[in-house]
Amino acid sequence: MAGQFARSADFPVAWLQLDESDRDAAIFCENLLTAFQFVIKDWESPSPVFVGIPAVAEKPDALGSALAGALDRVLSDFTVLVIDDFHLIEDSPPILEVMNAFLHELPPALHLLLISRHVPALRITPLVAMQQAAGFSEEHLRFTPAETQELFMARNHISLPKAEAESLAASNEGWVTGILLSSHLLWKGLPLSGGIAGRDQVYRFLASEVLEQQPDPLRRFMLEASVLQEMDALACDFVLERKDSRSMLGALDSRRLFVVTSEQEQPIYRFHNLFQEFLRTTLQERDPSRYKTLLERSAEWNLKNGFIEVAFSFLVQAENFSLAAKLAEENVLKYYESGRFQTLRDWARSLYPIRLEVPTLFGCAGMSYATTGDYTRAAEYLDIAGLGLERSPNISRLDSLQASRAWLAYCRGDYTAGLDLAQDLLQKGKTGKVEVPVLRMAASHAGLCVDAMGRTREAIDFFRQALAMFPDGDRSYDKTRTLTLLANVLHNAGATAEAYVLQRRALAQWKDLGYPGPIAIALNNLAYDQHRMGQLEESEASYDEALEWSRKSGDKHSQLLIFAGLGDLAKDRAEFAKAAGFYSAADRLAEESDDLMMLGYVYRAKAELNRRMKNYPAAMEWVRRAGELVEQNLPAAEAGDRAFRGAVLEEMGQRKEAIDCLAQAVEVLENQSAPTAETARARFLLARSQFRSGEKSGAESSLRAAFDFAHGCGSDQSLVGEAPCAADLLEGFLAHPTLGGLCGSLLDRGRRQTEREDLQPTETISIEPIKLSVKALGFLEILWSGKEVQRSAWVSQKTKEVFLFLVDRAPVGRDELLTTFWPEMPSGRAQANLYQTLYRIRRAIGMDILILKNQVCRFAENLSLEYDVASFERAARHGLTIPMTDPERLAGLEKAAGLFRGEYLKDVPVDWAGQRREEINQIFLTLVRAQADEDLSLCRYEEGRAIVLRGLAIDPYRDELHQRMLKILAALGRKHEVVDHYQKYVFLLRKDLGLDPPSETRSLYASLIV
């Protein structure tokens, strides 16, 4: 049924036929992308690296989102994806994660047809509730007597009497397999003897009425070929050790022996599932030795053709575990590095009986579990790998296993154990007995452990040590990752300038490698450093680019970091509504991923946002929630929260309590191993409270310390954000011989930063108008400075739709946009989507043409917009208001009608565009009636006929237009055309609407043909 649908469809259909190897999320995604190459013209599917394989293989949901994003960028027309035999892979948890994420972000143009033997365990309930999903169950697929008759006629050219069809459908309970087997019996001229139900009965029937009725050579071929999931002549010749497979496959097809044939130049055959199962069971029972040999030869054939996973599966079925183990050990490292974690885990489960013989497999499978957070299974598998290696000691592999255990300890939060294991390897490496790649891992793992323990300086030393062990010119994944880690700890230590340089180097190398997830993280880090250095415009651009790469990778963690960073940036610019939207989006992602550390960061950011907005009770509540997220906060985090409370108390007028809080916070923060931006900020806030309480000397001391700490950590951006709230403090020290210059600069930068939102071009500033032309009537055309904006520039269809909505209706309130385009989403997420979409519009056009201010979105004042819909509506209003006696009326009507090039956004299937299309069509039809009347009164019959035809093309059922056409044709003396037009009009109304023409039209027609 699905195959017939695909063959008869007049739209693209991509077909993915699944097998056991697709249980691995990476393989599944690669095969799915390959399926689209056959239906998307001139499209080369992105490389596995580009969609995040293997970079985010430990995050299957990110893989699903990346997959949806890759397809969204190329699909604009209605397209169907068929995924067949989903039941073969749905027991794979990563597959379910991939599919759930894929469904959640399914491109608007893509529609999914999932074929499975039972309802898939996917999150489809919300889609059903929104009437976006439907399905056929077993009940729907039961054959009725009438359908049974049609099947017999179509398949076997047998006219089945109604009574027999009813009996057959009832006895088989509508089961299509039983009916098909019965049709085979009738086709052979044998009588039906009741239905066929149950596996044992089916097997007996197949044996006696199908298999045993074939000639010996064909019967033998059928049994032996059943070991192959797909059969072609070359594979069968090799596996079955014969040379006549092509003719045998042709015989199977011509005899209709339950085979399906692909329609291609070199046909591929497949037995029906049930028939193949019967044949394999029969062969295994009759000749187990030959069955085992055929499985091993199938493995050899697949290995020869590069299908390693399929070869492994055949070896396991043949119970040739030693050869399967050899194959796994030879390929395990390659599979681990390419992110095929599920394949490694499946192999490990299959070889568990001989687990000590495959230590590398269990070591890598254990590391895959550690990466995805299953630390118990990871430890079990690493222990198995250790026992296996002890049986035949291999020092190099044992060292590598120790490095893996150090990584596992770090993942589990046991930083001391991880550091001990890593340092032991590094100490041993001084003797030259540890391989360099293992030493690099050990140094990197040691750096991660000490950094997590707050020993930043040691972390820098370890990462520098790891980096020094890479050869010159190396631009590998591991080196680039180490470079990124070093840049991160440098910036935490206050070495912002060096961190910035390293971040840019890492970013360049990530782009060379092509991994979108790490590129997004590197851009996020770069944007963060730019923000700290006060480069706000550059920071925004970097965040913008980071968000695009993050969406390509589907990595929700990087999106979380970027939204939080964008919120911080908007907050420092006093764009509070925008900041709230970004924080809400980050909050949602943190909750979904159960990332308590980032959730705490977002809560504290929301607290700061509310403080800036003087909503102090909410600010205190958010910081309280942040402190309760974990059982025990680090001292620095607790001190930071105390400093925040001190700032709020100061602004609420409780100065004594504020000074106590801030002094306690400063004492803790200044005892940290390295200066931080939080230390500088706490000192600055203390200086403010001291100054206001009259303690000028204390304020001077604290202010000086704040500047020193800011200098030590490489950025005073945390002070710039506080400057507007401490203007009195800074102005009080402007005359100070050493602090005056610093205070003046800080005060000026703080004011400029927060006033940015209100900066608008004034009439005295000469700005060249921005020229934008949009033609939405007929063929859509968008021109920017005379050049067409390419479809690919819009990134998604939704971006273009929002742009066209704004062109048609701006200025538009933010709430109207959210309700129109994201009605089902929570407010915070919808706002974040709106901001992202506005960013995309700016990137597509190449200029900042949109302004969102005071919750209203409008175009920039210096934008020169040429919009054909607006021009048409103005001309129509003008033409229709000219009095009928005015000789200029006809010219006005013709000018307006000439501007109507076609229906408004005819190919945009959304409600708002449909409603607007109908409004514009009605204006045009009013013009048509008015111009036709003018043409009739002036005897301009040909012109009148032309304009009425245009109107009927828009609305072929409009009675008043048909009446005018009949009058025009009669005036031209074409009575036969009057008759012909009227008859076609009558036929159209009756066929489509079941109506007759109104009485006035019938009367008019009668008068015209007399």
Side-chain angles (χ1 to χ4, degrees):
M1 184 168 67
Q4 184 179 3
F5 159 78
R7 286 190 293 273
S8 61
D10 58 358
F11 43 77
V13 177
W15 192 291
L16 176 59
Q17 180 67 54
L18 300 176
D19 58 37
E20 290 287 342
S21 67
D22 287 296
R23 296 180 74 255
D24 190 301
I27 298 173
F28 171 78
C29 291
E30 286 187 41
N31 289 340
L32 193 149
L33 287 171
T34 301
F36 276 94
Q37 286 184 297
F38 298 99
V39 298
I40 303 177
K41 186 178 180 182
D42 300 327
W43 181 59
E44 291 187 12
S45 64
S47 68
V49 164
F50 187 78
V51 295
I53 309 169
V56 292
E58 66 272 20
K59 302 174 183 176
D61 60 330
L63 211 53
S65 298
L67 193 63
L71 293 171
D72 187 36
R73 287 186 286 276
V74 295
L75 292 177
S76 57
D77 300 324
F78 187 99
T79 305
V80 171
L81 166 64
V82 180
I83 300 181
D84 196 2
D85 286 340
F86 188 73
H87 56 274
L88 294 176
I89 65 170
E90 72 163 350
D91 63 333
S92 166
I95 287 294
L96 295 181
E97 288 189 54
V98 167
M99 283 299 298
N100 281 325
F102 184 63
L103 282 171
H104 183 66
E105 302 185 28
L106 197 69
L110 183 61
H111 305 267
L112 180 63
L113 177 59
L114 206 62
I115 302 173
S116 179
R117 292 185 181 176
H118 41 75
V119 178
L122 296 170
R123 291 195 292 269
I124 58 175
T125 303
L127 297 176
V128 174
M130 292 186 290
Q131 298 184 335
Q132 294 180 4
F136 294 99
S137 68
E138 181 182 350
E139 291 297 322
H140 294 104
L141 298 177
R142 291 186 190 278
F143 270 60
T144 65
E147 289 169 337
T148 302
Q149 287 178 299
E150 291 179 18
L151 178 66
F152 269 67
M153 178 57 69
R155 184 176 176 84
N156 302 102
H157 304 292
I158 295 174
S159 179
L160 192 66
K162 182 179 179 182
E164 286 193 39
E166 290 174 347
S167 173
L168 188 59
S171 60
N172 285 287
E173 298 181 342
W175 183 41
V176 66
T177 302
I179 293 171
L180 284 171
L181 295 175
S182 301
S183 73
H184 186 79
L185 199 66
L186 274 178
W187 180 67
K188 293 179 62 179
L190 300 174
L192 292 174
S193 56
I196 299 170
R199 187 175 299 272
D200 291 342
Q201 283 183 277
V202 169
Y203 276 20
R204 285 197 298 271
F205 172 86
L206 291 172
S208 62
E209 300 299 334
V210 181
L211 184 62
E212 300 305 332
Q213 301 301 318
Q214 308 309 318
D216 286 344
L218 184 59
R219 183 190 318 123
R220 189 68 188 173
F221 179 84
M222 292 166 64
L223 288 169
E224 295 190 346
S226 68
V227 301
L228 296 169
Q229 190 68 25
E230 295 183 340
M231 302 172 288
D232 62 47
L234 290 176
C236 290
D237 279 351
F238 182 89
V239 174
L240 277 55
E241 301 174 279
R242 57 193 306 149
K243 298 180 180 179
D244 60 349
S245 298
R246 189 178 303 279
S247 62
M248 286 293 180
L249 290 169
L252 291 180
D253 191 30
S254 64
R255 289 171 176 255
R256 298 174 183 167
L257 291 172
F258 306 105
V259 291
V260 178
T261 310
S262 66
E263 298 177 2
Q264 53 193 63
E265 188 175 339
Q266 297 295 329
I268 295 175
Y269 302 81
R270 294 181 57 168
F271 284 118
H272 282 288
N273 291 331
L274 183 62
F275 191 55
Q276 182 186 29
E277 183 183 318
F278 157 71
L279 291 173
R280 293 188 74 168
T281 301
T282 303
L283 175 63
Q284 192 172 9
E285 291 173 351
R286 293 183 182 180
D287 193 347
S289 175
R290 179 61 176 165
Y291 178 70
K292 184 175 186 296
T293 299
L294 290 171
L295 290 172
E296 290 174 342
R297 288 193 62 80
S298 297
E300 185 181 353
W301 168 258
N302 280 282
L303 191 58
K304 178 181 177 182
N305 285 277
F307 302 123
I308 296 170
E309 300 94 330
V310 182
F312 180 89
S313 176
F314 276 117
L315 290 172
V316 171
Q317 291 176 62
E319 297 184 351
N320 190 336
F321 294 115
S322 60
L323 199 54
K326 182 175 182 294
L327 182 63
E329 289 287 278
E330 288 173 352
N331 291 278
V332 63
L333 292 177
K334 177 178 68 176
Y335 274 43
Y336 178 78
E337 290 170 0
S338 62
R340 296 192 166 177
F341 293 169
Q342 189 60 39
T343 296
L344 297 181
R345 295 170 184 177
D346 289 343
W347 285 4
R349 278 193 289 271
S350 297
L351 297 178
Y352 200 83
I354 58 166
R355 52 193 174 279
L356 299 184
E357 297 178 22
V358 281
T360 307
L361 171 61
F362 273 82
C364 288
M367 287 292 284
S368 81
Y369 281 117
T371 303
T372 54
D374 188 347
Y375 304 134
T376 302
R377 184 69 61 88
E380 176 196 348
Y381 275 30
L382 290 179
D383 288 343
I384 290 171
L387 292 172
L389 290 173
E390 288 173 4
R391 298 176 69 187
S392 53
N394 181 311
I395 301 301
S396 172
R397 292 166 72 186
L398 283 169
D399 289 341
S400 180
L401 179 63
Q402 183 171 332
S404 298
R405 283 181 164 142
W407 163 254
L408 176 60
Y410 166 75
C411 292
R412 300 177 80 161
D414 192 352
Y415 306 129
T416 301
L419 180 60
D420 289 344
L421 288 166
Q423 284 186 312
D424 180 65
L425 282 172
L426 292 171
Q427 187 64 32
K428 183 180 174 183
K430 293 178 180 178
T431 65
K433 295 180 180 179
V434 181
E435 293 183 356
V436 171
V438 176
L439 286 174
R440 286 200 301 255
M441 284 193 293
S444 180
H445 298 343
L448 288 168
C449 289
V450 294
D451 185 44
M453 296 162 73
R455 292 150 59 178
T456 308
R457 295 295 180 190
E458 292 177 64
I460 291 173
D461 292 339
F462 278 124
F463 288 133
R464 288 196 194 279
Q465 184 179 352
L467 206 57
M469 288 187 242
F470 287 95
D472 292 339
D474 187 313
R475 298 175 72 85
S476 65
Y477 180 97
D478 288 337
K479 182 177 181 180
T480 309
R481 178 175 175 273
T482 306
L483 193 63
T484 302
L485 292 171
L486 176 58
N488 290 342
V489 293
L490 282 169
H491 120 45
N492 290 338
T496 306
E498 184 181 0
Y500 181 72
V501 172
L502 292 181
Q503 290 287 15
R504 296 196 71 89
R505 279 179 53 195
L507 175 60
Q509 291 182 201
W510 283 128
K511 286 186 173 181
D512 287 344
L513 291 168
Y515 291 109
I519 291 172
I521 293 293
L523 281 163
N524 173 76
N525 295 342
L526 183 66
Y528 182 84
D529 285 340
Q530 288 168 330
H531 183 186
R532 290 189 68 194
M533 293 187 293
Q535 301 172 12
L536 304 190
E537 299 296 334
E538 294 85 348
S539 176
E540 183 177 21
S542 296
Y543 275 130
D544 185 18
E545 187 180 355
L547 197 57
E548 295 299 325
W549 281 104
S550 179
R551 290 194 172 280
K552 289 176 183 177
S553 74
D555 182 9
K556 295 294 190 295
H557 179 68
S558 62
Q559 290 179 32
L560 163 58
L561 297 176
I562 294 162
F563 283 136
L566 283 166
D568 292 343
L569 189 62
K571 178 184 66 185
D572 278 357
R573 288 169 156 175
E575 297 172 349
F576 298 142
K578 186 185 291 187
F582 285 128
Y583 287 144
S584 294
D587 187 342
R588 176 184 59 81
L589 290 171
E591 286 186 348
E592 287 178 359
S593 60
D594 199 26
D595 189 335
L596 296 184
M597 184 181 75
M598 278 305 299
L599 195 59
Y601 181 92
V602 174
Y603 282 3
R604 290 180 173 94
K606 287 186 174 184
E608 184 60 41
L609 180 62
N610 278 279
R611 179 199 147 210
R612 299 280 182 93
M613 298 169 69
K614 304 188 185 307
N615 186 2
Y616 301 126
M620 289 295 220
E621 174 61 19
W622 279 115
V623 82
R624 182 191 67 78
R625 291 185 186 182
E628 291 179 350
L629 283 174
V630 294
E631 292 184 11
Q632 185 175 4
N633 282 290
L634 293 173
E638 291 181 349
D641 290 347
R642 189 174 289 116
F644 176 82
R645 291 189 184 94
V648 173
L649 290 169
E650 167 64 36
E651 289 161 20
M652 292 174 68
Q654 302 176 34
R655 186 154 298 139
K656 183 178 182 305
E657 294 86 345
I659 290 175
D660 290 342
C661 256
L662 289 164
Q664 293 170 21
V666 164
E667 183 179 357
V668 174
L669 290 169
E670 290 185 356
N671 287 326
Q672 299 299 301
S673 60
T676 66
E678 189 59 41
T679 312
R681 180 169 171 266
R683 264 295 189 180
F684 185 81
L685 292 169
L686 179 58
R688 181 183 66 168
S689 292
Q690 290 170 329
F691 179 80
R692 290 176 179 175
S693 67
E695 301 176 30
K696 190 161 184 181
S697 61
E700 179 184 343
S701 175
S702 291
L703 188 58
R704 189 183 304 279
F707 283 124
D708 288 342
F709 280 121
H711 177 76
C713 69
S715 170
D716 64 354
Q717 184 61 32
S718 62
L719 305 187
V720 175
E722 294 291 346
C725 301
D728 54 340
L729 167 69
L730 297 171
E731 289 171 353
F733 283 93
L734 286 177
H736 194 281
T738 57
L739 295 177
L742 294 172
C743 290
S745 172
L746 196 63
L747 191 62
D748 180 59
R749 288 160 58 207
R751 284 172 177 164
R752 281 189 286 114
Q753 181 169 284
T754 54
E755 290 171 358
R756 177 189 177 276
E757 181 189 28
D758 297 321
L759 291 178
Q760 297 292 335
T762 64
E763 293 181 4
T764 60
I765 300 176
S766 175
I767 298 180
E768 184 179 349
I770 305 169
K771 296 180 181 178
L772 177 66
S773 170
V774 178
K775 295 180 180 178
L777 297 175
F779 181 74
L780 178 64
E781 184 181 83
I782 302 170
L783 299 177
W784 174 252
S785 298
K787 296 181 180 179
E788 185 173 1
V789 179
Q790 298 301 314
R791 190 183 79 173
S792 59
W794 295 104
V795 180
S796 71
Q797 180 66 20
K798 179 65 68 69
T799 304
K800 185 188 289 187
E801 288 176 13
V802 173
F803 169 75
L804 293 169
F805 187 87
L806 290 169
V807 167
D808 192 66
R809 307 188 185 196
V812 181
R814 185 192 66 179
D815 290 344
E816 183 181 353
L817 288 168
L818 299 180
T819 304
T820 302
F821 291 97
W822 298 279
E824 304 296 330
M825 286 188 181
S827 175
R829 184 180 174 194
Q831 289 178 38
N833 276 351
L834 173 60
Y835 296 136
Q836 295 163 38
T837 301
L838 296 180
Y839 277 134
R840 287 180 171 182
I841 292 172
R842 291 164 183 148
R843 285 176 63 86
I845 300 299
M847 290 284 288
D848 195 356
I849 63 169
L850 289 169
I851 297 170
L852 181 60
K853 184 179 179 182
N854 298 327
Q855 299 190 7
V856 175
C857 190
R858 54 172 48 86
F859 285 101
E861 293 179 7
N862 60 322
L863 177 71
S864 172
L865 174 62
E866 295 178 2
Y867 183 36
D868 63 344
V869 174
S871 300
F872 165 70
E873 289 181 316
R874 280 195 303 270
R877 282 194 299 269
H878 174 70
L880 291 169
T881 55
I882 298 174
M884 293 185 181
T885 56
D886 192 325
E888 296 297 322
R889 178 175 170 83
L890 179 60
L893 294 172
E894 283 187 322
K895 177 183 177 182
L899 294 174
F900 186 84
R901 301 183 307 135
E903 290 192 79
Y904 174 75
L905 298 181
K906 189 171 184 178
D907 297 326
V908 180
V910 289
D911 290 344
W912 70 265
Q915 295 165 3
R916 188 75 172 102
R917 187 181 308 123
E918 183 60 26
E919 291 174 10
I920 296 169
N921 284 350
Q922 292 306 316
I923 295 173
F924 176 65
L925 292 173
T926 302
L927 278 174
V928 169
R929 292 196 303 271
Q931 185 182 330
D933 290 341
E934 289 291 319
D935 288 331
L936 272 167
S937 67
L938 297 173
C939 300
R940 290 163 38 95
Y941 303 128
E942 288 295 349
E943 290 84 351
R945 183 170 183 263
I947 191 64
V948 171
L949 283 174
R950 289 185 64 194
L952 289 173
I954 299 298
D955 187 350
Y957 309 109
R958 188 64 62 111
D959 297 315
E960 59 267 32
L961 294 185
H962 286 287
Q963 292 168 11
R964 285 167 173 76
M965 179 60 80
L966 293 173
K967 290 178 182 179
I968 291 169
L969 293 174
L972 288 167
R974 302 174 184 175
K975 188 173 290 188
H976 66 286
E977 288 189 36
V978 173
V979 174
D980 184 56
H981 182 86
Y982 182 77
Q983 289 177 346
K984 289 180 179 178
Y985 166 52
V986 171
F987 176 77
L988 179 69
L989 285 180
R990 289 175 177 171
K991 178 174 71 74
D992 292 355
L993 306 179
L995 299 173
D996 285 323
S999 57
E1000 56 266 34
T1001 307
R1002 296 198 303 270
S1003 299
L1004 173 64
Y1005 173 68
S1007 67
L1008 293 176
I1009 62 171
V1010 172

